Amino acid sequence: MSRRTALSVVAGAVVLAGAGAFALAHAADPAPRLTHSTARYSAPDGARDGSFTFSTQVEASSGVKSLKVLAWPEKSGLAKKQPTAAEMRRAESARCTPAGEDTVRCVYTVKVTGADAASFPRGSWHVATLATAADGTTALDTEAVDFTVG
C-alpha cells in the first residue's frame, strides 16, 4: 500500500469515528427535565373567579419545544389508567419563556368559575405533563406535582 493510500485510509477512519461519536452523543441526549414544579388552586369566592396555576422549569440540551399540562383528580378513571403521551399531546400548552441557555420557565393558568368548582371532585389532584424537546425527545410525568381541591 502506498503512503498516500495509507494516509487516505487513516483520514477516512478518523472522519467516520468522529461522525459515529457525534451520532452517539446526539442519540444519547437526555429527555427534557422538569424542576421547581408548583401548583396552586384558588377557589372562586363570591363574584370573584378562582384559578389554577402550574409553573415549572424545563431543561433540554436541544432546547424546549413545548410543555403540555393536564390536571386530573385522584378519584377518577385516570387513577387506574394514567394519561399516556398520545393523550397528553392533545392537552393544553403552558406558556414558556427563556430562563437560561437550555432552560425555559413555563406557566399554565386557567380561570375557575363557580360552576367549574362546584363540579370538581374534592380531594387530591395530580398534574400530568408532557415536555417535548426541540430534537423530538419527550418526557411524560403523570404526577409531576399534586394539589388539593377543598
Side-chain angles (χ1 to χ4, degrees):
M1 178 184 306
S2 75
R3 187 172 212 217
R4 182 179 225 148
T5 303
L7 286 174
S8 294
V9 169
V10 169
V14 168
V15 168
L16 287 175
F22 175 78
L24 278 175
H26 184 68
D29 278 350
R33 187 172 69 97
L34 275 66
T35 58
H36 309 295
S37 299
T38 62
R40 183 172 179 263
Y41 172 75
S42 175
D45 184 22
R48 181 188 60 82
D49 286 332
S51 65
F52 166 73
T53 301
F54 170 76
S55 64
T56 192
Q57 284 187 203
V58 184
E59 182 181 346
S61 59
S62 68
V64 178
K65 181 178 177 182
S66 68
L67 178 70
K68 301 291 188 162
V69 178
L70 174 68
W72 58 278
E74 185 172 76
K75 295 177 183 173
S76 71
L78 288 175
K80 292 179 183 158
K81 183 184 175 285
Q82 296 182 346
T84 65
E87 292 166 333
M88 287 299 298
R89 285 184 182 88
R90 295 186 302 268
E92 294 183 0
S93 294
R95 178 169 290 172
C96 300
T97 56
E101 185 176 332
D102 298 328
T103 305
V104 295
R105 179 88 176 142
C106 298
V107 178
Y108 172 79
T109 300
V110 64
K111 178 175 71 169
V112 178
T113 66
D116 293 332
S119 69
F120 287 167
R122 303 294 183 242
S124 294
W125 283 57
H126 306 291
V127 177
T129 59
L130 178 66
T132 303
D135 67 3
T137 58
T138 61
L140 172 66
D141 188 346
T142 58
E143 296 183 24
V145 69
D146 299 330
F147 66 99
T148 303
V149 172

